[in-house]
Amino acid sequence: MLDLDQMRRRNLEHRLLQQLRNRPEPFPYPDQDILNIALHGDMTTLPPEWNFQFLSWTWDEEKTRLLRGTEFENVPSISCGRSWKLLHMVGPEKPWRLPDTPGTMGQFHYILYSFFWWPEAKRLPAFREELDAISQGLAPLLQRHIRGQQWKLFFSRGHIFRKRRDKIKWLKKLLSILNGRKP
């Protein structure tokens, strides 16, 4: 989170761009790296619910035990109760793009992000037209993917059948969210 008024008063945009131009080699994460350099010593750590990331929070008893007594102790309850204030969508999977690699952990996060992001994003009047255009573009792709999975379902057995059936279910839920209906 950034205090934009203070950044403007301190002419930080100029400092950030200057830091970026004076760098001999590119930063691995240009936006985050340059902010960390320019604002070094002038940052405050926020509680985990203000930077909640699904990527980091896969729960089991061992991880929960390791978090006891730390600032992250309440993260499992934040996750279960959906009480985050800011959901940080880390990684390349974003809900406004289809995932590139089906069957990966990235696809799992894409789906998870989509279920939370699309309903909230579509409520914002400022981007309604753009989001409607994106969702209209994604919907036919999802429908084709669903049809392909349904066709393969006829030739699947055992656990492959169950995996495809489950994939069809979540694709249909995602499609209903894109179309503005409750899943």
Side-chain angles (χ1 to χ4, degrees), residues 3-102:
D3 183 344
L4 297 179
D5 288 336
Q6 190 175 118
M7 288 178 74
R8 286 182 194 109
R9 278 194 300 276
R10 294 172 50 191
N11 196 20
L12 216 69
E13 180 182 3
H14 177 72
R15 278 180 46 204
L16 292 171
L17 292 172
Q18 201 168 17
Q19 286 274 353
L20 200 54
R21 282 188 207 108
N22 294 339
R23 179 79 178 170
E25 74 262 359
F27 289 107
Y29 305 102
D31 57 338
Q32 294 174 28
D33 292 337
I34 199 71
L35 284 168
N36 286 332
I37 291 168
L39 298 172
H40 180 75
D42 199 15
M43 293 185 270
T44 303
T45 304
L46 294 172
E49 60 266 21
W50 285 96
N51 188 23
F52 187 79
Q53 305 168 32
F54 281 115
L55 198 56
S56 308
W57 316 118
T58 308
W59 297 113
D60 58 31
E61 193 57 41
E62 177 64 15
K63 286 184 183 169
T64 304
R65 186 183 64 72
L66 290 171
L67 294 176
R68 284 193 194 112
T70 72
E71 66 201 77
F72 302 104
E73 184 172 31
N74 68 337
V75 168
S77 63
I78 293 169
S79 179
C80 293
R82 297 183 187 177
S83 59
W84 55 80
K85 309 284 189 242
L86 190 137
L87 175 57
H88 186 166
M89 295 180 206
V90 296
E93 286 73 27
K94 306 298 181 207
W96 50 90
R97 295 186 308 208
L98 284 178
D100 295 330
T101 49

Side-chain angles (χ1 to χ4, degrees), residues 94-122:
K94 306 298 181 207
W96 50 90
R97 295 186 308 208
L98 284 178
D100 295 330
T101 49
T104 65
M105 191 60 164
Q107 187 179 33
F108 168 76
H109 286 94
Y110 167 79
I111 295 159
L112 196 56
Y113 293 157
S114 293
F115 283 116
F116 295 113
W117 188 81
W118 276 102
E120 293 300 320
K122 284 188 140 195

